Amino acid sequence: MSRYWSKVVEQLSPYVPGEQPKLDNLVKLNTNENPYGPSPKVIAAIQAELGDNLRLYPDPSSTQLRQTVADYYGIQAEQVFVGNGSDEVLAHLFNALLKHDKPILFPDITYSFYPVYAALYGIDYQCIPLTEDFNLQVKDYIQPNGGIIFPNPNAPTGQLVPLADIEWLLQNNTESVVVIDEAYIDFGGESAVTLIDRYPNLIVIQTFSKSRSLAGLRVGLAFGNVDLIEALIRVKDSFNSYPVDQLAAAGAVAAFKDKEYFESTCNKVIEYRQKLSDDLTQLGFVMQPSFTNFVFARHPKRDAGELAEALREHGVIVRHFRQVRIEQYLRITVGTPEQNNVLLEVLKVILA
Ligand SMILES: Cc1ncc(COP(=O)(O)O)c(C=O)c1O
């Protein structure tokens, strides 16, 4: 605290990201990064970009990247927005499209950055409880609102809302923007990007940090009607004209072009997620169905906070949230088979 702080800063409760420890040899299963590195073509594209050109500013409109992503989905480049990670895209979105008179709606258990952005921009919000088994029911969102936002699949619960339910929500909520945050969609869901031409109030968010193995590069996307994308561009150009640097843009283009690598790593994660879920069930854990690159589990006989602590002492880090309704759950990122085996062996020792 300092007398030089503004009122805004005094009142902030910032988001707390998962730990990024500097220790070697840790099995890091706490922040849902991809256990596989990016495509070799991504590395080559970034290396090719290293040179004298770095003295120049990057393209402020990220034209090539937006066109590449648009071609992939069969849409127009004007329907795509790019930013410095999807967190930044989300921040602009709260400011540009969710700040109205009525409160916005999001689930009681969800990505914990949403209330932080709402507080930063002075946006009222109302949390809509998930069902007892953590399902999101779209009918619960039919009430006056300044906007609706949720991840699909949801985080940290891992559950998926069918595309038909999202379409029903869009048909029954036409007065405000509906935001579907698809950070984990490539691990088992069907993207709502296919709906943007039909629903002028839909925004879909995606990231390069999970299925495209590029959390370190910081690139995120929004898809939507041209007028909604223009709102995001207006905020971006009032904040930072160059959110995506030259190296990031080159790597991101190459990542979208290497579909084969992307599909093979996603398939591996999906396969090992099933094996990890089965093995944890064998150890007595109760598992939530997962459509993501993490599992959400509780052990009926052991306190989740203590388990997380014990795992850490054995060099394995997972995420535990001290939050009502989920304090007895662990969120565990799906690792390589070797990492998953270390987790399971350590758990056997702890649970013995
Ligand atoms: C639901 C959800 N949305 C958005 C993000 C942010 O991703 P990034 O800023 O790395 O693109 C995350 C990160 O974990 C997430 O879980």
Side-chain angles (χ1 to χ4, degrees):
M1 182 74 107
S2 153
R3 68 191 172 97
Y4 300 113
W5 282 14
S6 70
K7 283 250 166 343
V8 173
V9 170
E10 267 174 38
Q11 284 158 17
L12 291 180
S13 339
Y15 173 74
V16 183
E19 188 190 0
Q20 294 291 347
K22 296 286 167 280
L23 300 172
D24 288 338
N25 302 326
L26 274 183
V27 174
K28 188 175 177 306
L29 304 175
N30 67 329
T31 46
N32 300 340
E33 289 133 336
N34 200 307
Y36 301 101
S39 150
K41 291 183 182 160
V42 168
I43 309 292
I46 294 172
Q47 273 164 350
E49 207 58 36
L50 287 171
D52 276 356
N53 260 359
L54 286 176
R55 72 192 173 78
L56 302 174
Y57 285 103
D59 171 10
S61 306
S62 302
T63 314
Q64 197 198 354
L65 175 55
R66 290 168 74 202
Q67 191 61 57
T68 303
V69 172
D71 291 345
Y72 182 93
Y73 280 111
I75 56 176
Q76 302 301 311
E78 293 72 29
Q79 294 172 298
V80 181
F81 177 81
V82 298
N84 189 260
S86 62
D87 279 341
E88 185 190 78
V89 177
L90 284 165
H92 290 340
L93 181 88
F94 272 72
N95 204 2
L97 297 167
L98 298 181
K99 191 169 164 57
H100 300 288
D101 295 337
K102 295 184 191 129
I104 62 166
L105 309 178
F106 50 77
D108 60 340
I109 298 164
T110 195
Y111 186 35
S112 43
F113 226 137
Y114 299 159
V116 175
Y117 290 132
L120 175 63
Y121 293 116
I123 301 168
D124 282 342
Y125 61 89
Q126 190 186 330
C127 292
I128 307 293
L130 297 176
T131 62
E132 203 163 322
D133 47 2
F134 299 140
N135 272 309
L136 186 154
Q137 298 200 312
V138 287
K139 69 172 172 39
D140 297 342
Y141 290 75
I142 303 303
Q143 53 179 292
N145 68 75
I148 296 172
I149 180 166
F150 56 83
N152 196 41
N154 195 13
T157 55
Q159 306 217 26
L160 185 76
V161 175
L163 198 56
D165 288 12
I166 290 178
E167 191 158 9
W168 182 90
L169 177 63
L170 288 159
Q171 283 161 355
N172 290 280
N173 182 90
T174 53
E175 295 304 306
S176 68
V177 169
V178 175
V179 185
I180 309 296
D181 179 351
E182 295 190 334
Y184 302 100
I185 196 71
D186 297 321
F187 299 109
E190 209 182 332
S191 175
V193 171
T194 50
L195 302 178
I196 60 170
D197 278 331
R198 272 182 288 147
Y199 298 97
N201 60 331
L202 170 63
I203 286 272
V204 178
I205 303 288
Q206 289 188 2
T207 177
F208 284 74
S209 301
K210 315 291 178 184
S211 56
R212 296 185 193 271
S213 308
L214 288 169
L217 210 62
R218 310 308 301 132
V219 188
L221 301 165
F223 302 88
N225 174 289
V226 175
D227 294 339
L228 301 188
I229 297 301
E230 190 191 331
L232 294 174
I233 294 171
R234 286 172 70 100
V235 169
K236 168 195 103 90
D237 286 336
S238 308
F239 179 82
N240 173 11
S241 311
Y242 309 104
V244 181
D245 65 68
Q246 282 175 37
L247 305 184
V253 165
F256 251 80
K257 287 193 170 159
D258 196 350
K259 201 170 172 203
E260 198 183 321
Y261 184 87
F262 159 73
E263 283 174 354
S264 85
T265 46
C266 285
N267 287 339
K268 278 198 266 189
V269 169
I270 292 167
E271 182 187 334
Y272 301 140
R273 174 181 73 206
Q274 187 55 50
K275 167 127 183 40
L276 178 63
S277 300
D278 293 345
D279 291 345
L280 287 170
T281 307
Q282 287 285 317
L283 293 183
F285 281 90
V286 177
M287 311 298 299
Q288 289 294 312
S290 170
F291 294 84
T292 62
N293 68 338
F294 57 84
V295 294
F296 200 50
R298 74 180 164 85
H299 197 289
K301 298 196 183 123
R302 299 298 286 265
D303 178 73
E306 283 171 24
L307 277 180
E309 214 30 63
L311 280 167
R312 200 176 198 300
E313 279 161 22
H314 286 82
V316 178
I317 47 176
V318 300
R319 193 92 199 253
H320 173 244
F321 297 91
R322 292 198 186 284
Q323 189 190 333
V324 182
R325 288 189 78 187
I326 57 168
E327 66 271 290
Q328 285 311 329
Y329 284 81
L330 296 176
R331 193 196 67 188
I332 307 170
T333 306
V334 178
T336 59
E338 296 74 28
Q339 290 176 314
N340 298 342
N341 280 339
V342 174
L343 165 81
L344 292 162
E345 290 309 314
V346 168
L347 276 172
K348 280 182 200 158
V349 173
I350 297 170
L351 294 171

